[in-house]
Amino acid sequence: MRDKYTPLDKFVIISAELDPREVDGDIALFQRGKKLRDEISHGETIDEKALPVAEIQGLVRKLLRLHFNVLESS
């Protein structure tokens, strides 16, 4: 059975809840990373030097930090 929500749908909900001021930029970065991930998984040639590794790591760290802050304050 397929999930009715795409990874982007799920990301938008999480990002909008944790950091609504930065949601547009976070979504754009997520979409860029997802597009590259899809290209890799479909065997397309990509420029490994152009991968947004540091940016994606920063996004994950930010969202995890914000999530832990929410948990601590509840």
Side-chain angles (χ1 to χ4, degrees), residues 12-50:
V12 168
I13 292 167
I14 292 167
S15 183
E17 181 67 28
L18 292 175
D19 195 5
R21 293 173 300 181
E22 298 291 326
V23 71
D24 292 333
D26 292 347
I27 291 169
L29 181 56
F30 179 86
Q31 288 176 311
R32 181 175 166 215
K34 173 80 168 67
K35 181 180 181 292
L36 287 166
R37 176 243 170 244
D38 292 346
E39 290 172 358
I40 292 168
S41 68
H42 292 289
E44 294 181 33
T45 302
I46 60 157
D47 178 9
E48 290 183 36
K49 294 178 183 172

Side-chain angles (χ1 to χ4, degrees), residues 63-74:
L63 294 176
L64 283 172
R65 184 181 65 251
L66 291 169
H67 175 67
F68 290 136
N69 287 343
V70 168
L71 291 176
E72 288 176 355
S73 64
S74 53

Side-chain angles (χ1 to χ4, degrees), residues 1-19:
M1 183 171 168
R2 294 186 64 109
D3 195 351
K4 71 180 198 176
Y5 297 106
T6 67
L8 178 60
D9 295 333
K10 294 174 185 179
F11 180 83
V12 168
I13 292 167
I14 292 167
S15 183
E17 181 67 28
L18 292 175
D19 195 5

